[in-house]
Amino acid sequence: MSQKNKFSDLFSGFNFVMPQNAQLFPVSDFNEVFNSGMKLFEEASQISKNFMFKGFESANMFSFLENSAEIMTSSYSGYLEMFGFISKEAYDQLVEKYNTIQDEINKQKKQISQKDSKIKDQEKKLKAVEKDIKDFENKIKDLENELAAEKINKSAAPAIKNDTPKQ
């Protein structure tokens, strides 16, 4: 059988129901204390009723309770907002705005990538055209050189014919 430690139960020897403690608290005193406590509770209840409902008609009571509940709800919401909490409706609105912004960003990114690919295609075409222009410039220079050479040959050819002895 385990022994109880006297230090773990501070009131182990004080049990007013036990016969050795009956002389400290007679049953009549206990009943009187209990009855006076209940009487005090009833009086406090009556005082609070008189205080709460003074000047209120029963018709106004419902609106009073409704207003009280509304004030408590708004003050509780304000209290939570102070710590960074928001309502479900505000959260849903924020999520909806976030999704709308994300969709717009994705649309913009897609348009940018399409424009970038068009720019790259145009740059390739431009490089091809520039290469063709250089090729044409080289051909023009070659043709000019050939034409100049022909002119030199034609002008030099009659002089050569005149310089050659006739036979």
Side-chain angles (χ1 to χ4, degrees), residues 2-156:
S2 67
Q3 295 180 350
K4 283 190 174 183
N5 185 355
K6 289 185 180 181
F7 297 110
S8 65
D9 188 7
L10 298 176
F11 300 107
S12 62
F14 184 73
N15 187 348
F16 59 88
V17 179
M18 298 298 287
Q20 64 267 20
N21 296 326
Q23 63 199 13
L24 296 174
F25 285 107
V27 175
S28 62
D29 289 344
F30 180 71
N31 285 337
E32 188 177 321
V33 169
F34 184 74
N35 287 336
S36 67
M38 291 304 285
K39 186 176 181 185
L40 179 66
F41 180 73
E42 289 172 1
E43 288 173 357
S45 175
Q46 189 62 36
I47 290 171
S48 66
K49 280 182 187 176
N50 290 338
F51 178 73
M52 286 271 305
F53 301 125
K54 188 174 186 178
F56 289 116
E57 295 176 11
S58 60
N60 293 339
M61 192 61 186
F62 181 73
S63 64
F64 172 73
L65 291 175
E66 186 177 24
N67 290 340
S68 298
E70 196 172 302
I71 290 169
M72 281 184 62
T73 303
S74 66
S75 64
Y76 183 68
S77 297
Y79 177 74
L80 289 177
E81 286 176 6
M82 187 172 62
F83 290 105
F85 293 101
I86 59 173
S87 66
K88 173 98 169 98
E89 293 83 24
Y91 174 78
D92 290 340
Q93 288 174 352
L94 288 174
V95 167
E96 187 175 327
K97 284 181 183 179
Y98 173 80
N99 290 335
T100 304
I101 292 170
Q102 280 299 111
D103 291 342
E104 187 64 30
I105 288 172
N106 290 336
K107 193 184 297 181
Q108 297 272 337
K109 283 181 180 178
K110 187 176 179 181
Q111 288 176 351
I112 289 171
S113 67
Q114 288 174 347
K115 287 180 181 180
D116 284 345
S117 65
K118 284 181 181 179
I119 289 172
K120 287 179 183 177
D121 290 342
Q122 293 297 327
E123 286 176 349
K124 286 180 184 177
K125 288 179 182 179
L126 185 62
K127 285 181 182 179
V129 168
E130 287 174 350
K131 184 179 180 264
D132 289 344
I133 289 173
K134 285 183 183 178
D135 290 344
F136 287 134
E137 286 176 350
N138 290 337
K139 282 184 183 179
I140 289 172
K141 284 181 183 177
D142 290 343
L143 289 174
E144 285 176 347
N145 290 338
E146 284 179 23
L147 185 62
E150 280 181 24
K151 282 184 183 180
I152 291 174
N153 286 340
K154 280 186 183 179
S155 64

